[in-house]
Amino acid sequence: MDPRPPSRLPRGFRFDAIGDGQALLVDGRVVADIMPLDHGQCRACLNPLSFSIRYAHFDSMDAAIAYVTDWAIQWEARLRDGVHVPSAL
């Protein structure tokens, strides 16, 4: 189930369950994942299948999803092309 409104993510991007968390997929490829931690906190991993992995920590799943969504919107073209992108917004 996509936790964000479909119109917020670019076409072909979607969140899907992965373990206890969420993965952001682009045309079926995982480009980010979000995993729950203790006390309701979460860790987002950007570019998890690359050598340029970046992590960010958040106080809630909603905050992590919003960050990853904004990151994906900013880097949409490069993510579609399979190019690893920076984590900073």
Side-chain angles (χ1 to χ4, degrees):
M1 181 178 146
D2 187 344
R4 284 288 180 239
S7 61
R8 181 97 165 89
L9 289 169
R11 182 187 51 77
F13 286 59
R14 67 182 173 89
F15 281 101
D16 202 357
I18 181 172
D20 292 336
Q22 294 286 320
L24 178 64
L25 293 90
V26 178
D27 299 325
R29 286 181 299 110
V30 175
V31 296
D33 62 52
I34 304 168
M35 294 298 168
L37 303 173
D38 293 335
H39 310 294
Q41 296 178 328
C42 293
R43 182 194 72 199
C45 178
L46 307 175
N47 300 314
L49 303 177
S50 74
F51 292 111
S52 60
I53 295 171
R54 298 291 184 263
Y55 295 99
H57 292 82
F58 300 91
D59 290 333
S60 70
M61 181 65 77
D62 286 344
I65 288 171
Y67 177 85
V68 170
T69 298
D70 289 343
W71 173 80
I73 290 167
Q74 179 177 349
W75 297 104
E76 175 184 359
R78 289 181 69 180
L79 289 168
R80 284 190 191 285
D81 291 341
V83 177
H84 304 136
V85 298
S87 59
L89 290 177

